[in-house]
């Protein structure tokens, strides 16, 4: 192949070629070919994903990529979902929105995860970007229905408003009425997810909105929308593909028959969720659409027990994704395995996570059944109370195509219930047989041995979650030295200390982040790491006051280390300590 | 799909087509001090300098007195449920800011949640709220026989509502089924009976406090029963000083 010098191709041609290249990895690669390709690429990059908002600053981003249309940012570490990150830690999106409002007037999409976004920022978004189309706020907080009202009122071209699992403050004045801020001539809505909203929305406004948006495909309602009104909405939007219902605890025959009628007209419906407090009798209304369903989320439906679940899933031959409570029990999972041969993803959540005794007949057997019966199953999240190495080995052998395996045995350090041994061998089998495993969460009784297996076999592993496991620093060393593709590591309550961390310091620069809480890392080691590794921010999160007031060997509460090109952040709260806190060292 | 802005590429840290510094990316080129250890290579030799490790790869693996607990594949007795296991000193205060609580890892040393473990099992707060609400509603529906209650098909899940109870000064905690009670009177009677052997007979000498869903401790008598039952997570009996 004859090599052409970059300068002999007109820029427009290269730009056109580059427009077919979408994956970040590929674009990063072509940007390193030569200077002119770097320049053309950076001017033409439209989609940017920042996995850690503190890894780079808005200024740096804008300087390199002057014309971004789709921005995705992630903020707090994953363990923030479980209340391990104190309030006020950070992840404020306001500076990003402020910078983008002047630098990216053509911005169309903003996707945020675990970030704090105030109403002011929502208003700024609604007024700064004339072609704004997509707003996805996943597990975000800091805003209220006022901010939503601004989005509704000003974003003429909005296609998607998705509030997944965010915490939204309902202000009494505009509660429910923010929806009416969508102007009457606004018709471009394609996707609306308000399932997380606690209070009511104005049904009239909702009905009118749904009625005038012919392209509406996704509608996830919140709990407060009663089932008897759902039929009305479905009549307005028979083209819906994804639906989330509200709650319906009273079974009324007229409502049921209306629902049946409405569902029968929804020929495109493929995904269902919601079902809070649903009287099981209403499930018969869903039967007609079951064969078309590819995605079913019943994980809020605490009123539906095993036999009803079995009847339901047995009719969903095309199901690909199922999220369900452990009421499904082993029997239900057997039925799932028998009926749903296209299943790709299964999540089983605990109905009584804090009970000490099991309240349902769900054991490792259910998961084994599904692993046997569903050849395409590759993504699992499973909460249970007992597990065995045998079961894990069987699952591993059945499903070498597993890519995401998250197992949570509810009681920490639970051994193999058959042999009373650790579960090292079982998880070892998982990493050994599942060569494409990208994400793994461990639980149960585990020694350093399991980490040796993970380090040896987990070559494609990108994210690892560890809790109450291991015996010594050797465990951490195995992970850091063995897992070549590791990007995110989160650890809690493990006896890992300074040594493995310091010995593998350089590894940390190749990862997005490391979280360690209730381990044995000393503040001295953190300071050392921070001083020696300028490309890392080493944040000690400790609410007990200055680490200096305790001996240097005293373990820190929590530790969050991440690579960054923008240096220490300027918005750290009082309980975050870095190397610069020590007056003797000062700023390095 | 990460943005790699001039950061060291994972597999070959030295090969670069051009110097990214030229383009104004703030890459810091300071050398990493070898005190820490060389760039990561997956072998034990590096860690040898810092940890004394037996490299023979046989079954015995001990390194340093500090790590004498290193074990593999030992057969262990069934672990006690974490929620009852209390390794703390008998009169330990549940004060998360207590500086004496800073010792090495141990499952029960997680502060902020009293005797429970913060953030475990790993489910999101709103799911936890949902679970709790459902527990309460089920317990209620069983006891009050609500007329218009929903119909549950199939086998019913357990309707009990056990919460942990600790009495100040008593090491062993207990559990009480709140679904069996409808008033503070019956509850305190039951509790005093439970702890009969370990405490003074007169229930007036104890005050009942409870931890709500937000993690705050409140006096049980200050709220109506309905409020209490909907948010109680665990109970404590405090000796009331005169």
């Amino acid at each position: 192949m004859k090599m052409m010098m970059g300068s002999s191709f007109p820029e427009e041609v290269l730009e056109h070629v580059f427009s077919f290249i979408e994956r970040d990895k590929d674009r990063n690669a072509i940007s390193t070919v030569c200077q002119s390709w770097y320049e053309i690429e950076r001017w033409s990059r439209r989609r940017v994903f920042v996995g850690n908002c503190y890894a780079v600053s808005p200024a740096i981003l804008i300087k390199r990529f002057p014309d971004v249309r789709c921005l995705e940012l992630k903020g707090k570490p994953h363990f923030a979902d479980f209340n391990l990150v104190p309030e006020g830690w950070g992840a404020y999106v306001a500076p990003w929105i402020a910078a983008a409002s002047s630098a990216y007037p053509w911005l169309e999409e903003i996707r945020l995860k675990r970030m704090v976004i105030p109403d002011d920022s929502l208003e700024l978004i609604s007024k700064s970007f004339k072609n704004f189309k997509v707003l996805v706020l996943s597990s975000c907080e800091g805003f209220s229905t006022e901010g939503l009202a601004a989005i509704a009122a000003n974003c003429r071209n909005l296609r998607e408003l998705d509030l997944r699992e965010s915490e939204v403050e309902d202000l009494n004045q505009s509660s429910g009425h923010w929806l009416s801020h969508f102007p009457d001539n606004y018709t471009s809505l394609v996707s609306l997810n308000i399932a997380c909203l606690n209070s009511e929305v104005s049904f009239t406004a909702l009905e009118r909105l749904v009625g005038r948006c012919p392209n509406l495909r996704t509608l996830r309602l919140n709990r407060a929308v009663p089932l008897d009104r759902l039929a009305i909405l479905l009549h307005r939007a028979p083209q819906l593909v994804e639906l989330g219902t509200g709650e319906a605890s009273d079974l009324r025959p007229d409502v049921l028959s209306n629902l049946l009628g409405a569902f029968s007209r929804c020929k495109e419906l493929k995904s269902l969720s919601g079902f809070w407090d649903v009287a099981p009798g209403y499930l018969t209304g869903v039967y007609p659409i079951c064969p078309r369903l590819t995605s079913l989320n019943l994980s809020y439906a605490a009123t539906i027990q095993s036999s009803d679940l079995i009847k339901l899933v047995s009719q969903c031959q095309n199901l690909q994704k199922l999220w369900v409570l452990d009421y499904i029990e082993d029997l239900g999972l057997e039925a799932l395995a028998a009926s749903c041969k296209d299943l790709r993803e299964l999540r089983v959540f605990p109905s009584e996570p804090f009970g000490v005794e099991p309240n349902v007949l769900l054991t490792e057997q259910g998961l084994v059944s599904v692993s046997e019966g569903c050849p395409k199953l590759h993504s699992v999240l499973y909460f249970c109370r007992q597990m065995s190495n045998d079961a894990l080995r069987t699952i591993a052998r059945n499903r070498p195509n597993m890519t995401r395996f998250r197992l949570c045995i509810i009681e920490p350090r639970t051994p193999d219930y058959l042999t009373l041994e650790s579960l090292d061998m079982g998880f070892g089998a998982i990493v050994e047989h599942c060569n494409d495993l990208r994400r793994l969460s461990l639980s149960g009784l585990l020694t350093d041995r399991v980490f040796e297996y993970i380090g040896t076999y987990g070559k494609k592993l990108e994210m690892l979650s560890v809790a109450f496991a291991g015996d010594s620093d050797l465990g951490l060393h195995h992970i850091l030295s063995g897992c070549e593709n590791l990007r995110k590591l989160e650890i809690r309550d493990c006896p890992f200390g300074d040594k493995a961390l310091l010995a593998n310091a350089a590894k940390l620069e190749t990862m997005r982040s490391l979280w360690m809480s209730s381990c044995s890392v000393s503040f001295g080691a953190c300071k050392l790491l921070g001083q020696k590794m300028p490309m890392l921010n080493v944040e000690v999160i400790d609410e007990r006051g200055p680490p200096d007031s305790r001996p240097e060997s005293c373990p820190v509460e929590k530790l969050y280390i991440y690579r960054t090109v923008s240096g220490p952040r300027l918005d750290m709260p009082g309980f975050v300590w870095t190397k610069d806190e020590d007056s003797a060292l000062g700023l390095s | 799909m990460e943005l790699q802005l001039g950061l060291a590429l994972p597999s070959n840290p030295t090969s670069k087509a051009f110097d990214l510094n030229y383009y104004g990316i703030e890459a810091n080129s300071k050398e990493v001090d070898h005190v820490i250890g060389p760039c990561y290579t997956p072998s034990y030799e590096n860690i040898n300098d810092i940890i004394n490790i037996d490299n023979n790869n046989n079954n015995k693996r001990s390194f340093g007195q500090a790590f004498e607990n290193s074990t593999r594949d030992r057969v262990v007795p069934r672990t006690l449920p974490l929620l009852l296991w209390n390794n703390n000193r008998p009169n330990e205060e549940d004060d998360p800011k207590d500086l004496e609580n800073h010792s090495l890892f141990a499952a029960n040393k997680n502060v902020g949640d009293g005797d429970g473990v913060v953030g475990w099992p790993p489910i999101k707060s709103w799911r936890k709220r949902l679970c709790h609400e459902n527990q309460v509603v089920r317990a209620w529906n069983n006891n009050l026989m609500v007329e218009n209650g929903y119909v549950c098909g199939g086998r019913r899940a357990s309707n009990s509502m056990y919460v942990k109870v600790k009495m100040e000064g008593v090491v062993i905690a207990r559990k009480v089924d709140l679904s069996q009670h409808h008033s503070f009177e019956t509850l305190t009677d039951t509790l005093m009976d439970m702890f009969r052997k370990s405490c003074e007979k007169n229930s007036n000498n104890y005050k009942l406090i409870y931890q709500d869903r937000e993690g705050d401790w409140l006096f049980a008598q200050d709220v109506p029963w309905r409020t209490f039952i909907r948010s109680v997570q665990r109970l404590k009996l405090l000796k009331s000083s005169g």
Side-chain angles (χ1 to χ4, degrees):
Chain A
M1 185 163 69
K2 199 168 167 197
M3 197 163 85
M4 310 274 288
M5 298 310 290
S7 55
S8 65
F9 254 160
E11 272 191 22
E12 299 81 42
V13 174
L14 278 175
E15 202 175 317
H16 183 69
V17 172
F18 290 178
S19 69
F20 293 102
I21 299 175
E22 288 180 355
R23 289 181 57 213
D24 286 346
K25 275 202 168 73
D26 297 333
R27 292 205 76 118
N28 290 345
I30 63 178
S31 72
T32 61
V33 166
C34 65
Q35 184 177 342
S36 89
W37 280 39
Y38 176 85
E39 284 297 316
I40 298 167
E41 193 284 315
R42 78 183 187 91
W43 277 95
S44 63
R45 190 168 319 201
R46 300 282 170 257
R47 190 173 287 276
V48 169
F49 168 75
V50 180
N52 173 6
C53 63
Y54 290 119
V56 67
S57 70
I60 294 174
L61 179 73
I62 293 167
K63 190 168 180 184
R64 176 153 178 198
F65 300 117
D67 193 3
V68 169
R69 308 284 165 93
C70 308
L71 182 60
E72 185 172 349
L73 298 172
K74 292 190 179 179
K76 302 185 204 175
H78 173 233
F79 275 176
D81 285 353
F82 316 127
N83 297 334
L84 288 178
V85 177
E87 194 82 24
W89 172 81
Y92 304 110
V93 83
W96 289 88
I97 305 298
S101 66
S102 46
Y104 298 142
W106 299 112
L107 194 65
E108 294 179 6
E109 301 181 10
I110 293 177
R111 293 179 170 80
L112 306 176
K113 188 165 187 179
R114 292 192 202 98
M115 295 198 76
V116 179
I117 177 163
D119 285 341
D120 284 348
S121 292
L122 286 173
E123 188 168 347
L124 192 56
I125 289 172
S126 75
K127 297 199 167 131
S128 311
F129 311 117
K130 296 295 165 228
N131 209 20
F132 196 68
K133 295 198 171 98
V134 172
L135 183 64
V136 178
L137 302 176
S138 185
S139 302
C140 293
E141 55 175 347
F143 63 103
S144 75
T145 45
E146 287 288 334
L148 296 179
I151 295 284
N154 302 316
C155 298
R156 298 301 165 117
N157 293 311
L158 192 72
R159 303 253 167 91
E160 201 175 316
L161 178 60
D162 187 344
L163 303 179
R164 348 185 157 153
E165 299 176 358
S166 291
E167 297 235 355
V168 186
E169 202 189 328
D170 279 307
L171 295 184
N172 284 335
Q173 301 99 325
S174 65
S175 158
H177 300 303
W178 64 272
L179 265 183
S180 11
H181 286 251
F182 281 109
D184 289 335
N185 60 359
Y186 166 76
T187 58
S188 41
L189 195 63
V190 173
S191 169
L192 181 66
N193 178 358
I194 52 170
C196 62
L197 289 186
N198 286 322
S199 73
E200 296 183 7
V201 287
S202 152
F203 189 80
T204 341
L206 182 62
E207 190 190 343
R208 285 211 309 263
L209 181 65
V210 167
R212 66 179 187 271
C213 294
N215 298 320
L216 191 67
R217 293 184 36 165
T218 299
L219 182 63
R220 305 260 188 219
L221 302 168
N222 65 337
R223 200 166 170 172
V225 177
L227 210 62
D228 58 353
R229 303 284 196 104
L230 183 61
I232 302 171
L233 292 176
L234 291 178
H235 278 292
R236 299 274 195 183
Q239 76 283 3
L240 275 183
V241 176
E242 301 182 322
L243 173 70
T245 72
E247 69 178 351
S249 37
D250 298 335
L251 181 56
R252 281 163 40 198
D254 55 323
V255 173
L256 180 56
S257 66
N258 283 344
L259 210 57
L260 267 165
F263 273 141
S264 66
R265 291 183 61 217
C266 294
K267 306 283 185 207
E268 310 294 324
L269 206 50
K270 293 207 169 62
S271 165
L272 272 189
S273 63
F275 297 104
W276 288 279
D277 281 346
V278 147
Y282 279 122
L283 290 183
T284 55
V286 172
Y287 289 168
I289 50 171
C290 281
R292 283 196 294 270
L293 286 182
T294 56
S295 166
L296 190 52
N297 181 355
L298 295 169
S299 64
Y300 318 140
T303 46
I304 304 177
Q305 305 288 310
S306 182
S307 56
D308 287 311
L309 286 168
I310 292 175
K311 274 189 232 147
L312 193 62
V313 301
S314 306
Q315 304 183 54
C316 299
Q317 297 87 4
N318 287 309
L319 203 61
Q320 296 178 14
K321 175 170 133 174
L322 177 66
W323 289 21
V324 72
L325 287 170
D326 56 10
Y327 290 133
I328 194 167
E329 299 191 331
D330 288 344
L331 222 56
L333 291 174
E334 250 177 67
L336 183 71
S339 314
C340 307
K341 295 305 183 184
D342 208 21
L343 194 71
R344 325 258 167 120
E345 178 179 330
L346 174 67
R347 295 196 192 189
V348 179
F349 295 95
S351 52
E352 284 179 24
F354 303 108
V356 175
E357 315 296 329
N359 62 316
V360 289
L361 288 171
L362 181 104
T363 68
E364 81 283 4
Q365 192 46 50
L367 187 55
V368 171
S369 307
V370 184
S371 77
E372 265 159 18
C374 303
K376 296 200 190 151
L377 183 73
H378 69 89
S379 174
V380 167
L381 170 62
Y382 199 75
F383 283 82
C384 60
R385 287 191 155 84
Q386 70 183 41
M387 188 48 62
S388 67
N389 284 308
D390 259 352
L392 285 171
R393 266 191 286 261
T394 307
I395 293 166
R397 290 208 182 95
N398 286 340
R399 296 272 63 77
N401 55 325
M402 192 73 70
T403 59
R404 276 178 236 119
F405 190 73
R406 292 152 73 188
L407 179 67
C408 179
I409 305 165
I410 289 176
E411 185 58 39
R413 300 202 186 89
T414 305
D416 176 328
Y417 77 100
L418 295 169
T419 64
L420 296 187
E421 287 173 352
S422 73
L423 289 170
D424 296 343
M425 306 293 276
F427 278 106
I430 294 279
V431 288
E432 187 184 348
H433 292 280
C434 306
N435 295 322
D436 291 322
L437 197 67
R438 292 195 310 265
R439 183 167 180 184
L440 177 64
S441 298
L442 306 171
S443 57
L445 182 68
L446 297 165
T447 73
D448 284 346
R449 206 17 134 54
V450 73
F451 300 113
E452 191 181 345
Y453 292 137
I454 294 173
T456 306
Y457 295 109
K459 294 308 181 189
K460 295 238 180 94
L461 205 58
E462 294 178 6
M463 182 168 178
L464 180 63
S465 307
V466 186
F468 304 103
D471 307 309
S472 73
D473 271 56
L474 195 54
L476 181 56
H477 175 71
H478 283 308
I479 303 171
L480 291 177
S481 58
C483 298
E484 289 157 8
N485 280 300
L486 197 63
R487 291 190 294 116
K488 288 179 281 182
L489 179 58
E490 45 186 27
I491 299 172
R492 62 165 295 172
D493 292 274
C494 295
F496 300 149
D498 300 346
K499 298 186 162 70
L501 200 59
L502 295 177
N504 292 281
K507 169 70 171 171
L508 299 177
E509 263 188 26
T510 70
M511 293 164 54
R512 181 189 297 176
S513 64
L514 166 65
W515 169 278
M516 292 176 75
S517 55
S518 304
C519 296
S520 307
V521 181
S522 70
F523 187 57
C526 295
K527 272 194 300 193
L528 190 57
L529 200 57
Q531 284 155 23
K532 299 299 178 187
M533 308 289 294
M535 297 290 279
L536 296 179
N537 276 356
V538 179
E539 293 189 15
V540 169
I541 298 166
D542 206 319
E543 292 176 284
R544 298 171 296 178
D548 289 353
S549 61
R550 294 180 287 279
E552 274 219 355
S553 56
C554 170
V556 301
E557 261 179 9
K558 299 164 188 175
L559 174 61
Y560 187 49
I561 303 174
Y562 53 90
R563 64 181 179 181
T564 178
V565 291
S566 57
R569 59 180 172 116
L570 302 171
D571 58 0
M572 285 184 283
F575 52 78
V576 171
W577 314 90
T578 61
K579 64 184 191 315
D580 302 320
E581 301 306 317
D582 192 309
S583 52
L585 291 166
L587 283 168
S588 52
Chain B
M1 297 217 196
E2 276 218 47
L3 185 66
Q4 292 189 18
L5 290 176
L7 297 166
L9 297 172
S11 41
N12 42 354
T14 50
S15 76
K16 281 259 184 342
F18 55 95
D19 183 3
L20 282 173
N21 278 323
Y22 179 76
Y23 295 97
I25 307 287
E26 292 164 32
N28 195 318
S29 56
K30 268 213 267 190
E31 290 296 298
V32 173
D33 194 325
H34 277 259
V35 163
I36 298 296
C39 286
Y40 93 97
T41 42
S43 78
Y44 283 142
E45 279 108 58
N46 309 321
I47 203 173
N48 261 343
D49 295 336
I50 300 166
I51 302 176
N52 228 0
I53 203 178
D54 180 9
N55 226 354
N56 292 345
N57 266 346
N58 59 16
N59 285 347
K60 284 220 166 64
R61 197 177 299 192
S62 64
F63 57 106
Q65 304 91 314
F67 303 95
E68 55 200 12
N69 280 337
S70 155
T71 57
R72 352 169 354 266
D73 285 337
R74 59 179 180 201
V75 175
V76 293
R78 189 172 183 84
T79 332
L80 287 174
L82 189 71
L83 295 174
L84 291 179
W85 179 42
N86 190 336
N87 216 7
N88 296 332
R89 297 176 296 273
N91 286 321
E92 191 216 36
E93 303 294 349
D94 286 328
D95 181 0
K97 303 287 186 290
D98 187 356
L99 288 179
E100 287 170 43
N101 246 347
H102 67 238
S103 52
L104 288 178
F105 91 98
N108 60 339
K109 294 279 198 291
N110 265 297
V111 294
D113 216 14
D115 294 336
V117 180
V118 178
W120 191 268
I123 52 178
K124 298 184 181 173
S125 323
W126 57 266
R127 273 198 198 277
K128 273 194 274 193
R129 279 196 291 268
L130 213 57
C131 287
H132 189 85
E133 274 175 32
N134 290 322
Q135 256 191 312
V136 169
V137 169
R138 268 199 305 280
W140 268 34
N141 279 337
N142 259 343
N143 290 322
L144 305 178
M145 299 212 294
V146 175
E147 274 171 1
N148 216 13
Y150 51 83
V151 174
C152 269
R155 202 181 69 83
R156 233 167 215 251
S158 141
N159 298 307
S160 53
M161 196 185 148
Y162 280 97
V163 298
K164 191 172 153 194
V165 189
K166 197 165 174 258
M167 177 175 269
E168 189 183 351
V170 179
V171 175
I172 310 280
R174 291 248 151 61
K175 281 189 298 180
V176 65
D177 183 1
L178 289 181
S179 66
Q180 303 299 315
H181 296 275
H182 308 285
S183 75
F184 289 116
E185 271 178 42
T186 60
L187 177 59
T188 42
D189 280 346
T190 306
L191 292 179
M192 295 314 293
D193 207 55
M194 245 183 221
F195 286 99
R196 190 176 1 113
K197 297 213 173 94
S198 338
C199 70
E200 301 162 31
K201 300 283 163 46
N202 195 343
S203 69
N204 287 336
N205 290 340
Y206 289 92
K207 275 199 156 50
L208 182 64
I209 62 171
Y210 75 100
Q211 189 181 41
D212 71 4
R213 268 185 274 158
E214 265 82 61
D216 300 318
W217 286 94
L218 307 167
F219 282 108
Q221 311 280 36
D222 283 352
V223 300
W225 176 263
R226 195 191 171 90
T227 312
F228 164 78
I229 200 76
R230 277 198 172 271
S231 61
V232 56
Q233 300 280 35
R234 58 177 60 88
L235 296 169
K236 240 191 190 175
L237 288 161
L238 293 184
K239 283 193 189 123
S240 50
S241 42

